[in-house]
Amino acid sequence: MHMPAITGTGVFTPKETVTNDELVAAFNAHADLFNTENAEAIAAGEIEAKPHSSAEFIFSASGIEQRYVMEKSGVLDPARMYPHLRERSDEEVSIMAEIGLDACTTALEAAGRTGVEVDLVICAASNHERAYPAIAIEIQKELGAGGFAFDMNVACSSATFGIQAAADMIRSGSVRCAVVVSPEITSGHLEWRDRDCHFIFGDVATAVVLERAEDAQGAHFLVHSTRCATQFSNNIRNNNGFLRRTRDAMEDRRDMQFMQNGRKVFKEVLPLVSTHIAEHMTGEGWSSDELKRVWLHQANKAMNDFIGKKVLGRTPEAGEQPNILQDYANTSSAGSIIAFSQNSGDLAPGDKGVICSFGAGYSVGSVLVERA
Ligand code: COA
């Protein structure tokens, strides 16, 4: 058995940002347009008028201040409300592979590796832009990697589930150098026309390189243990899929985009995650006093404050439980990896931490790491 280690990380951040004020201005213009176009039906009580959104609500309910997106003009066009992304030919690199490759290149540089040394690529993300061939296999080809590659989807927990899969393979010896890449174009499946969720997501791509600790070229984090768990829930759901054309009345249905019952998610996921991390640490003989850092999924600041406090047994001090959601919003599976990538370089050998992501499914994945 070999000790797996995280030897490099990379983050691709899109160029365009959308502030809460910009988002709310576009949403409110869209709502006014909708209410004017449907004035008669609204007056007859057949449909409800769309209420305005508010930047104050968004910040106080979530902690989000802005988000990065691949293309903002479509998102902010009140008559459209989703991004313009050019269709690419089958001969071009696809957009998920392109941003994933950017993150992979940074992560491999950090690890002191090149693509040819990679023998496993897992593209772990909450949506894949096509059914097949796998985005991971396209990334494998572009990297010049060997071995094998596959896509996986565990929604917001995809990256930690991917890390567990890669770490287990490194531990057993079936692979030697793995990349877990999470290109998240959340702007494609967010319902920008629904004020309950239009502020939630942002786009990004992350990559994590995992190798045998003995192979590490520089500073790295030992992966002591991983733990994944799932429990079925309909509270976060997206019904889009390959059977779409077989169903009637599928033109512009709300459930073809991200849907959630945010209140229920908040209430049900908090105890699930806090208990999961506590039991994982106890199972490995780790105590909360030993933890130097907690890198959590980035959905909601209040959720993270709560989980951080439960895990550490006290209010986290500045920097102990870093949030990046104020800048990136919820980037689905990539959130905890951005937090880890941007807030782990200062840790000293022997320092311990936990990476944890959670979300639809429900699903939760935790990774206990130690700076070597
Ligand atoms: N602007 C103004 N008001 C809004 C609004 C907006 N954009 N969106 C909702 N509201 C209103 C609601 O209609 C509701 O009004 P009411 O009290 O008159 O019914 C009120 O604000 C509270 O809405 P609610 O949805 O209960 O807010 P919340 O405090 O639960 O915050 C979330 C919403 C989504 C931020 C929060 O529930 C959350 O983060 N949940 C967890 C989400 C999560 O982790 N998801 C995982 C996804 S991967």
Side-chain angles (χ1 to χ4, degrees), residues 53-54 57 61 156 195-196 236 260 262-263 265 299-300 303 330:
S53 183
S54 128
F57 171 85
C156 289
R195 81 164 184 165
D196 286 347
I236 313 173
Q260 79 165 350
R263 260 294 132 108
V265 173
N300 182 297
M303 266 176 125
N330 181 346

Side-chain angles (χ1 to χ4, degrees), residues 27 34 42 100 108 172 212 227 283 303 310 339-340 350 357 370:
F27 180 89
F34 177 90
I42 293 168
L108 286 166
S172 67
R212 292 179 185 179
R227 187 174 286 193
M303 266 176 125
K310 278 272 177 204
F340 174 72
S357 60
E370 177 186 346

Side-chain angles (χ1 to χ4, degrees), residues 120-124 136 148-152 162-163 165-166 169 179-182:
L120 168 66
V121 178
I122 301 178
C123 182
F148 62 102
F150 60 89
D151 289 349
M152 62 184 278
I163 288 173
M169 286 188 241
V179 182
V180 178
V181 51
S182 301

